Amino acid sequence: MIEDSLWLITSIIVIIILLIVFPVMHTMEKQDDLVQIQLINEVNLFLHDVKTKGKITRVDYEQLNAKLARLGNYFEVKIEHQKRLFAPIYDDPLNANTFSGKISTVYDLITDQEIVEALYKTGSSTGVYYLNRGDFVTISVNSTLKSKFDRMRDIILLTSSDTPSFFVRLSGMVAHEAY
Amino acid sequence: MKLINYGLIGIMVLSAIFFTENMTVAALKTTQYQTQYYQLVLSHAAEDAANAIKTSATNDVNKERSLKIEQPHLAVEAFITSLANSLSMTSKGDMIWLSNFIPYIVMVDNSGYYIYAVSPGEESGYQYQRKLLPRIDFMHKIDDYYIFLDDAPTIKIMHRQGGQWQVNYRSLADWLDIIDNTAVKDFLSAPNYKRRIAQLKLRQLESDLSDIVNLHNQYAHERGLFYDFAIEPIAGKWTGVVERPTIIAALQGMPLANNQVFDQVVAHYASVIREEKYYGFVYNGVKYYASLDQLPVSLHLTDNVFFNPQDAAKKGYYPYE
């Protein structure tokens, strides 16, 4: 009798898992796939925009954040600007007569914090950050919260990972200065 | 209850099959995602390199233009930096690791091409030296004649005469008048000459790229990377790559999930921007601006150079007609 009850309980648990948990997980996994695709599309569009215009406006930046917020997670957007600079090469840097006639290209890294500060600078009505042709811009976006699918999987498999559920990083060179 | 027991056992077996299948699908999905991501990153890198390509134009009397790539190293630098930035491989070690997967970067223009690849027989420490090889001209050999394949109407031919090599530039009509070699004459006077030279250019490019890929595979095997990769024949398919300045690059053997690798060849046209300059000058006491071909011959160029007519007008110069 006890054995029969155990079989019954087990069968109920299995039925719940098969009829409720798996379909829900499957739907959440599909949702994650769509979010990841949409995330790549949005970042790609933003990067194309920056590469083509040579500038980041406050409006564009806020629109990107708004679009990402609609994806149902919290996202951290990081923009890095590698500003191209040309430095003359002197055989002896202290002697102006030793200019070799050559130059070297160096990239000055401007962090996300500096870019956001420039966009929201007090007194700035325009909120535009300018880049030059030949500069590189890198945009990385990662989710700060775990997706529902990841949380559910962690519970079922008794695991825990620090990897963000969604992540994308794209980089490109500024092609035009449309300003 | 026996029915429930058998039912449960059946469900367990089906679940095991389902889990196995699900794992396979998950691995395939990861591979597919990584492939799409690499394709996107690669297309950005190719676009950046194409934008970094500088061209110089040679106009001839018929106003036809042959474009030549200048400073090809800028395109190589743009391609690798863009790729490395996207893949978070910006340290020197990472860049070396990444370059193992780039067998070549080629910049093609109307008359020749530059290849950035592993250089044969040269080693720098533990790494083969990757470098920009000297420019290679498109050419076709018939007997003792080397015909340079260019889109410009003036044709360059190098031939051996009196034990010495001579290089001459002449129009097609002039060459047909003076040349006495029947095979060369037939080649130049063929009705499909333009299409023929496009095919010959592609064949030469394909042959060189094939050699480069073989060398890269050999190099990779020596470094412990085992993959074989061969570009698909490009002749006949990619005719566009020899019609205007283009960058072609390959990424091969990039590891993906599920023991798969990513192999892809990408091509991107260079954007050719004509940078017109406007010169300011004073004529009959009035300040004018004009482009070089509109400038009166009698006038000396001034230091007032503008990159667009708006800037010239802002400085008080009128358009010269």
Side-chain angles (χ1 to χ4, degrees):
Chain A
M1 194 63 193
I2 295 169
E3 195 185 340
D4 286 348
S5 303
L6 279 173
W7 274 110
L8 193 65
I9 292 163
T10 314
S11 61
I12 289 167
I13 292 169
V14 169
I15 284 166
I16 288 170
I17 290 171
L18 289 178
L19 290 183
I20 299 168
V21 178
F22 279 142
V24 169
M25 272 188 79
H26 185 71
T27 309
M28 285 172 178
E29 196 180 5
K30 281 274 166 209
Q31 193 183 4
D32 276 12
D33 293 345
L34 294 173
V35 169
Q36 183 64 44
I37 291 167
Q38 192 59 23
L39 180 65
I40 292 178
N41 286 343
E42 295 298 350
V43 174
N44 188 30
L45 277 175
F46 185 75
L47 179 66
H48 258 297
D49 201 40
V50 177
K51 279 169 65 174
T52 314
K53 289 184 191 165
K55 63 180 178 182
I56 302 165
T57 66
R58 194 194 298 171
V59 176
D60 290 343
Y61 181 72
E62 284 173 356
Q63 271 179 359
L64 173 71
N65 279 300
K67 282 177 185 172
L68 296 182
R70 283 201 287 272
L71 296 178
N73 203 316
Y74 289 101
F75 291 94
E76 189 182 23
V77 180
K78 270 191 183 169
I79 305 172
E80 280 178 0
H81 173 201
Q82 284 170 274
K83 192 174 179 60
R84 188 173 60 161
L85 300 169
F86 300 100
I89 301 171
Y90 286 87
D91 293 332
D92 176 6
L94 299 175
N95 186 350
N97 296 322
T98 59
F99 179 47
S100 64
K102 292 174 186 169
I103 56 166
S104 67
T105 313
V106 287
Y107 290 95
D108 191 12
L109 183 70
I110 297 159
T111 60
D112 176 66
Q113 196 185 348
E114 289 170 88
I115 294 168
V116 174
E117 271 173 20
L119 290 177
Y120 291 94
K121 203 161 80 180
T122 320
S124 164
S125 55
T126 48
V128 182
Y129 181 80
Y130 295 99
L131 302 98
N132 295 112
R133 191 164 188 260
D135 291 357
F136 278 93
V137 62
T138 306
I139 298 151
S140 6
V141 178
N142 62 279
S143 56
T144 51
L145 294 179
K146 278 193 175 182
S147 71
K148 288 171 196 158
F149 171 73
D150 278 354
R151 270 181 279 167
M152 205 154 178
R153 192 185 50 191
D154 283 353
I155 292 166
I156 291 171
L157 300 177
L158 299 173
T159 56
S160 174
S161 84
D162 295 331
T163 319
S165 299
F166 307 105
F167 177 76
V168 67
R169 182 185 163 99
L170 286 176
S171 180
M173 191 182 76
V174 176
H176 306 285
E177 293 171 10
Y179 50 79
Chain B
M1 286 313 281
K2 271 198 170 176
L3 193 65
I4 294 176
N5 296 357
Y6 288 129
L8 277 174
I9 290 164
I11 286 167
M12 296 292 182
V13 172
L14 284 173
S15 297
I17 296 167
F18 171 78
F19 268 117
T20 316
E21 286 300 313
N22 196 39
M23 278 167 69
T24 314
V25 170
L28 282 172
K29 200 179 73 180
T30 312
T31 309
Q32 196 183 24
Y33 165 71
Q34 286 177 324
T35 304
Q36 284 170 354
Y37 178 66
Y38 282 144
Q39 278 171 347
L40 187 62
V41 166
L42 194 59
S43 75
H44 268 291
E47 187 188 324
D48 294 343
N51 284 329
I53 284 179
K54 303 252 182 267
T55 50
S56 67
T58 317
N59 286 321
D60 79 340
V61 284
N62 299 322
K63 293 279 176 199
E64 286 199 37
R65 181 177 274 214
S66 176
L67 293 164
K68 219 166 194 177
I69 287 171
E70 304 286 344
Q71 297 178 290
H73 67 277
L74 294 175
V76 172
E77 188 185 300
F79 181 85
I80 295 175
T81 312
S82 180
L83 202 63
N85 279 346
S86 286
L87 300 175
S88 275
M89 291 181 187
T90 45
S91 73
K92 199 175 176 187
D94 285 346
M95 296 274 264
I96 291 170
W97 185 81
L98 180 63
S99 63
N100 287 329
F101 304 101
I102 306 170
Y104 61 79
I105 302 171
V106 185
M107 287 136 287
V108 191
D109 60 35
N110 293 150
S111 56
Y113 50 97
Y114 292 95
I115 299 178
Y116 174 82
V118 171
S119 178
E122 289 182 57
E123 280 206 56
S124 167
Y126 292 105
Q127 292 294 318
Y128 270 70
Q129 198 177 356
R130 274 186 174 72
K131 63 177 191 178
L132 198 61
L133 305 173
R135 182 184 170 82
I136 303 164
D137 285 323
F138 286 121
M139 62 172 92
H140 180 56
K141 182 178 181 286
I142 302 174
D143 301 335
D144 265 353
Y145 289 82
Y146 284 91
I147 303 160
F148 288 75
L149 308 172
D150 194 345
D151 288 348
T154 313
I155 299 167
K156 177 182 172 185
I157 295 181
M158 186 167 78
H159 70 288
R160 208 169 171 80
Q161 204 171 36
Q164 283 193 327
W165 288 103
Q166 291 191 344
V167 181
N168 289 297
Y169 296 81
R170 288 193 176 90
S171 70
L172 181 61
D174 286 352
W175 277 120
L176 289 173
D177 277 347
I178 62 161
I179 219 148
D180 51 2
N181 184 304
T182 322
V184 176
K185 215 166 189 170
D186 287 348
F187 175 75
L188 293 175
S189 60
N192 59 351
Y193 173 69
K194 284 267 180 191
R195 214 183 66 200
R196 182 87 195 280
I197 66 168
Q199 285 168 349
L200 287 169
K201 283 178 180 181
L202 282 170
R203 205 173 294 162
Q204 184 180 335
L205 191 61
E206 193 178 5
S207 164
D208 273 6
L209 289 185
S210 178
D211 291 346
I212 290 284
V213 167
N214 284 338
L215 186 71
H216 183 85
N217 286 343
Q218 187 187 329
Y219 150 81
H221 282 212
E222 286 174 24
R223 303 271 84 80
L225 292 167
F226 295 96
Y227 46 70
D228 274 311
F229 169 72
I231 55 161
E232 57 173 317
I234 58 171
K237 272 186 183 177
W238 290 17
T239 46
V241 301
V242 293
E243 283 169 3
R244 49 182 150 154
T246 303
I247 180 162
I248 308 169
L251 203 60
Q252 70 157 349
M254 282 292 280
L256 300 169
N258 214 15
N259 286 330
Q260 302 278 313
V261 289
F262 177 79
D263 296 331
Q264 182 95 43
V265 180
V266 66
H268 204 290
Y269 293 132
S271 55
V272 179
I273 300 165
R274 194 176 170 209
E275 288 180 358
E276 187 96 66
K277 286 179 188 166
Y278 296 87
Y279 298 89
F281 60 94
V282 179
Y283 186 67
N284 287 340
V286 183
K287 287 159 81 178
Y288 290 105
Y289 70 85
S291 58
L292 194 60
D293 51 348
Q294 295 172 319
L295 208 63
V297 181
S298 57
L299 286 170
H300 290 292
L301 293 184
T302 67
D303 283 338
N304 296 317
V305 181
F306 306 98
F307 290 97
N308 59 63
Q310 290 96 322
D311 286 351
K314 278 179 194 169
K315 294 284 178 187
Y317 287 87
Y318 290 98
Y320 180 80
E321 292 175 67

